[in-house]
Amino acid sequence: MSNLIFSVMTQSLTFLPLSLAISISYSILRATDMTLDGSFVLGAGVFARLITQGCSPPLAGIIALFSGASCGMMVSLIQRGGKVDPLLAGILAYFILVSANLAVMGKPNINLLSQTTLLSSAFSISELTGWSVVACYSIAICIVTCLAINSRFGLILRGLGDNPALLQRLGKNIETYRLAGFAFTNLLSAASGCLTAQTVGYADIGMGFGMTLTGIGAIILGQQILRFFIKKSAPRIVFEFTACLIGVFIYFLAINGLLRLDINPVYLKMVLGMILILFLRTAVNPNLSRNVT
Amino acid sequence: MKPFIKHCIILLILTGLMACQPEKSSQPKIGIIVPLEHTAMKEIVAGFSETLTNLYHQPVYIKVANAQSDNNLQRAIIQQMRDENYTMIVPIGTGATEMSLAIVHNQPIVSLAAKLSEHDREQRNPCNVALVRDEISSKKIIEFIHAVYPTIKNIALIHSAADKVFPEVNETISIGKQYGITITHIMAATLPELTSSVQSLPRETQAIFILKDSLIVSGISTLAKAASERHIPLITSDQGSVQDGAGFALGVHEKEIGVAGAKLASEILLGKPACALPIAEMKTLTVFINKKALFGETQNEKLISDAAAKFGYKIEFTDSTKKV
């Protein structure tokens, strides 16, 4: 049992920053940003490339984060003035990133197994120490994200997602905040990619494929479950982020749990989908009003 | 009781059952990690399983887990195999091998068809990995193509962004120059891109060539059709693509990769440390020929047979109707 929980926790820790990015993009900015898949790989790729070129791990990490942020700015500029639909802008940016990632990495796969990274010294002591450091990084990112979203900046981002026209009438430059919002979400995605590359030992051009969809699924799952338990109104950000944590944990618990039940991995996703459908059908009460402020 | 709570209780009971799974019998457990669904993977697994059964004369439990190109699933599979103390882990491909090396430190790993060097292996502490490499020298392939078609000067090399083939592309191009062949490389990152890539092949293309590239091989029928229309040869690097419509290939039997892996695995089961075993390389090359496809491409099968005889390569005729 402890092995199962440990596996679930370790997978959830590296996925958490990405899920927060998806949550902010989907729930707060009200835009399904497909660029996050590409930023995830870019963060991993930039970090891996710099490490193999002899750059110090902290500097490589910071540059990786900024590279993710620049992707977000790119997608925001594509959408500028409302001329391109956000979903389409994300997809177009993703296409650009497919080539950009390959150009940055130089090859589709960069091996990090024998490189000194931010986590290598911790993992060389013991696995528990290594994952404790990963947890520290992940929790620190979550805390910074929560503080940012609970600040005035976060309030304006929420306004941007809910009612951009009102925000504009209040004299706020919505393009600047959109730029900052997408930069922030893609920075989180790059952070997740960076952490993941160090824990799996490589950066690969295909490692981001399907991550956004998985994240959206996990977040909605968490929201549905949380709505069942929270009957009264809850502060929106607390609700969203808690739902994020719950959804990610349940998703990885389901995958790892079904594997341990010896379900053939070929049928695993079908079984997982059916279980989640059953779960949600009984969890969701359509009569409950949306209980967030 | 509310259905939701009932389902939660059922899930908790299931979770408890997972934790209380009775240990399988004491026979060695071997976990094979297949990164994606592909005929080549099935052949490697078949070669491994059959050979190991013959070499290691005791019952062995072999579990084949397909990660379906999902990194999260692959990681969960590897962690499960580690936590359940599998005797040995056998990842296929570079990505699965690297992930296994990052997660598994105590159990021996027999890596099949991965791009890992002796240096990478030596860096491991403790060293717990044995390797089977399946790369075919680009020089041998271009040399063979030149022997079959000495007058060919323009070849289109179609490839994906897979880590297995990408590094070989530049090497192939520079070797082509040594033989006076201009190799134009066209990248198709997805299957839909393959169709448009094929339609925009340069007019002067005299042959289409693909490396051991699972994505491109999936679209072999598109390439075969284009080759047939242009009456140019489609040359590949694996047996499966010849069965699916390519004219001929210089490659290895995928099953042989599994066989070589099983030999290493049986040594490890008999007590030899993984690191003490030499890296197994695929040295026996075979020329696979599809007569029907060659006829469609209006190519002469005798040229290929003569070149194969000159280099001492075995010839195997494969048919579109016959699958291994």
Side-chain angles (χ1 to χ4, degrees):
Chain A
M1 182 67 146
S2 59
N3 283 333
L4 172 65
I5 299 297
F6 186 73
S7 294
V8 173
M9 291 299 298
T10 54
Q11 284 194 271
S12 302
L13 281 171
T14 51
F15 195 79
L16 212 46
L18 177 62
S19 64
L20 289 177
I22 296 167
S23 180
I24 293 168
S25 166
Y26 184 72
S27 306
I28 292 173
L29 295 173
R30 309 277 186 201
T32 312
D33 185 11
M34 303 305 289
T35 327
L36 295 172
D37 281 359
S39 310
F40 181 87
V41 178
L42 186 66
V46 165
F47 182 82
R49 187 75 195 264
L50 289 172
I51 289 290
T52 51
Q53 300 289 327
C55 183
S56 80
L59 182 61
I62 291 167
I63 295 172
L65 296 183
F66 278 112
S67 67
S70 63
C71 288
M73 288 189 225
M74 176 182 69
V75 79
S76 174
L77 289 171
I78 294 172
Q79 290 178 45
R80 195 175 181 84
K83 290 186 176 154
V84 180
D85 180 79
L87 181 59
L88 182 60
I91 292 168
L92 294 173
Y94 176 72
F95 285 159
I96 294 169
L97 279 174
V98 167
S99 298
N101 287 337
L102 205 49
V104 161
M105 289 171 67
K107 51 182 178 170
N109 182 295
I110 299 177
N111 188 333
L112 288 174
L113 288 167
S114 50
Q115 302 290 339
T116 305
T117 65
L118 292 167
L119 306 172
S120 53
S121 51
F123 273 101
S124 63
I125 298 169
S126 73
E127 203 179 342
L128 192 61
T129 311
W131 283 110
S132 302
V133 174
V134 174
C136 290
Y137 279 122
S138 203
I139 290 166
I141 291 168
C142 290
I143 290 170
V144 168
T145 306
C146 289
L147 290 172
I149 297 301
N150 270 315
S151 67
R152 189 170 173 76
F153 168 71
L155 182 64
I156 295 172
L157 284 186
R158 279 180 269 163
L160 176 63
D162 289 341
N163 196 340
L166 175 62
L167 207 62
Q168 202 161 24
R169 279 202 288 276
L170 291 171
K172 299 293 176 193
N173 186 338
I174 59 169
E175 296 303 336
T176 306
Y177 283 99
R178 196 199 314 271
L179 195 84
F182 279 108
F184 187 59
T185 56
N186 283 271
L187 183 145
L188 289 174
S189 179
S192 185
C194 201
L195 276 177
T196 304
Q198 292 174 84
T199 54
V200 300
Y202 65 93
D204 189 275
I205 203 78
M207 67 194 288
F209 182 73
M211 287 293 199
T212 304
L213 284 176
T214 302
I216 290 172
I219 287 160
I220 295 174
L221 174 69
Q223 286 177 351
Q224 301 273 46
I225 289 167
L226 206 57
R227 272 194 206 117
F228 180 83
F229 289 104
I230 297 177
K231 304 283 187 251
K232 307 185 287 192
S233 299
R236 181 175 162 187
I237 298 305
V238 172
F239 180 88
E240 298 286 352
F241 282 13
T242 309
C244 207
L245 294 173
I246 291 171
V248 167
F249 186 81
I250 287 177
Y251 173 74
F252 285 113
L253 179 65
I255 286 187
N256 283 275
L258 287 172
L259 278 174
R260 277 159 171 77
L261 280 176
D262 264 344
I263 304 271
N264 189 332
V266 171
Y267 304 116
L268 188 138
K269 287 192 171 170
M270 182 174 74
V271 173
L272 176 65
M274 283 160 60
I275 288 175
L276 292 176
I277 289 168
L278 182 68
F279 209 65
L280 291 167
R281 291 284 299 173
T282 50
V284 173
N285 183 344
N287 295 327
L288 279 175
S289 55
R290 193 179 169 90
N291 54 357
V292 294
T293 55
Chain B
M1 192 186 284
K2 285 188 178 165
F4 178 64
I5 295 172
K6 212 181 344 179
H7 285 119
C8 278
I9 293 170
I10 292 168
L11 276 172
L12 278 168
I13 293 169
L14 274 175
T15 311
L17 282 173
M18 285 172 222
C20 300
Q21 286 277 312
E23 268 288 314
K24 291 194 166 45
S25 62
S26 58
Q27 64 191 11
K29 288 191 291 191
I30 295 179
I32 302 176
I33 300 150
V34 175
L36 72 161
E37 188 67 32
H38 197 271
T39 320
M41 301 289 165
K42 284 184 187 163
E43 291 182 29
I44 294 172
V45 170
F48 183 90
S49 308
E50 287 164 16
T51 308
L52 189 63
T53 311
N54 292 333
L55 288 175
Y56 187 71
H57 303 293
Q58 287 175 50
V60 170
Y61 171 71
I62 297 177
K63 176 175 174 173
V64 182
N66 187 331
Q68 297 162 65
S69 305
D70 184 338
N71 273 355
N72 290 325
L73 185 53
Q74 187 171 272
R75 196 158 147 187
I77 288 167
I78 295 168
Q79 282 177 323
Q80 183 205 4
M81 289 178 177
R82 180 200 60 187
D83 295 340
E84 290 183 4
N85 294 315
Y86 272 57
T87 313
M88 192 183 305
I89 290 165
V90 182
I92 301 175
T94 307
T97 298
E98 286 170 339
M99 198 182 274
S100 301
L101 291 171
I103 294 169
V104 179
H105 300 284
N106 297 323
Q107 288 115 305
I109 297 169
V110 176
S111 161
L112 305 180
K115 257 180 147 45
L116 233 67
S117 62
E118 183 67 47
H119 172 75
D120 291 325
R121 192 158 82 138
E122 281 165 6
Q123 293 283 308
R124 300 277 298 164
N125 184 20
C127 176
N128 63 335
V129 59
L131 300 172
V132 176
R133 288 208 286 242
D134 69 332
E135 285 94 50
I136 304 163
S137 154
S138 299
K139 188 175 189 321
K140 284 188 178 168
I141 300 175
I142 300 298
E143 193 177 47
F144 183 73
I145 293 172
H146 184 65
V148 176
Y149 299 110
T151 55
I152 273 185
K153 297 292 170 211
N154 285 287
I155 295 178
L157 167 57
I158 303 178
H159 65 95
S160 69
D163 63 280
K164 205 173 171 56
V165 297
F166 206 80
E168 292 174 20
V169 169
N170 286 335
E171 194 190 334
T172 307
I173 292 170
S174 62
I175 289 168
K177 282 181 189 157
Q178 292 173 21
Y179 288 91
I181 302 172
T182 304
I183 298 179
T184 310
H185 75 109
I186 300 165
M187 191 176 95
T190 60
L191 271 178
E193 284 177 46
L194 181 63
T195 313
S196 41
S197 301
V198 162
Q199 282 163 4
S200 59
L201 281 176
R203 201 169 282 196
E204 62 274 14
T205 301
Q206 292 170 288
I208 301 172
F209 174 48
I210 61 174
L211 296 160
K212 212 170 168 189
D213 196 333
S214 12
L215 178 84
I216 304 299
V217 165
S218 306
I220 198 74
S221 44
T222 307
L223 295 169
K225 191 175 166 213
S228 185
E229 282 167 6
R230 286 174 178 238
H231 304 294
I232 57 175
L234 172 58
I235 308 159
T236 61
S237 306
D238 69 289
Q239 180 187 7
S241 52
V242 175
Q243 286 170 330
D244 289 338
F248 70 96
L250 177 66
V252 298
H253 279 280
E254 303 294 342
K255 210 167 178 176
E256 293 303 317
I257 300 169
V259 168
K263 288 176 182 167
L264 295 175
S266 68
E267 302 257 4
I268 292 169
L269 288 173
L270 291 170
K272 238 182 175 169
C275 225
L277 299 168
I279 296 175
E281 306 265 9
M282 295 290 102
K283 290 195 174 101
T284 309
L285 299 181
T286 305
V287 176
F288 303 99
I289 298 175
N290 184 330
K291 283 187 179 179
K292 193 173 166 190
L294 281 179
F295 180 77
E297 293 161 13
T298 57
Q299 300 300 314
N300 188 346
E301 176 251 309
K302 195 177 178 311
L303 295 174
I304 302 162
S305 305
D306 289 346
K310 180 183 161 190
F311 286 100
Y313 296 141
K314 209 175 114 190
I315 296 173
E316 202 171 293
F317 292 99
T318 61
D319 198 301
S320 305
T321 56
K322 228 189 294 181
K323 297 269 180 187
V324 171

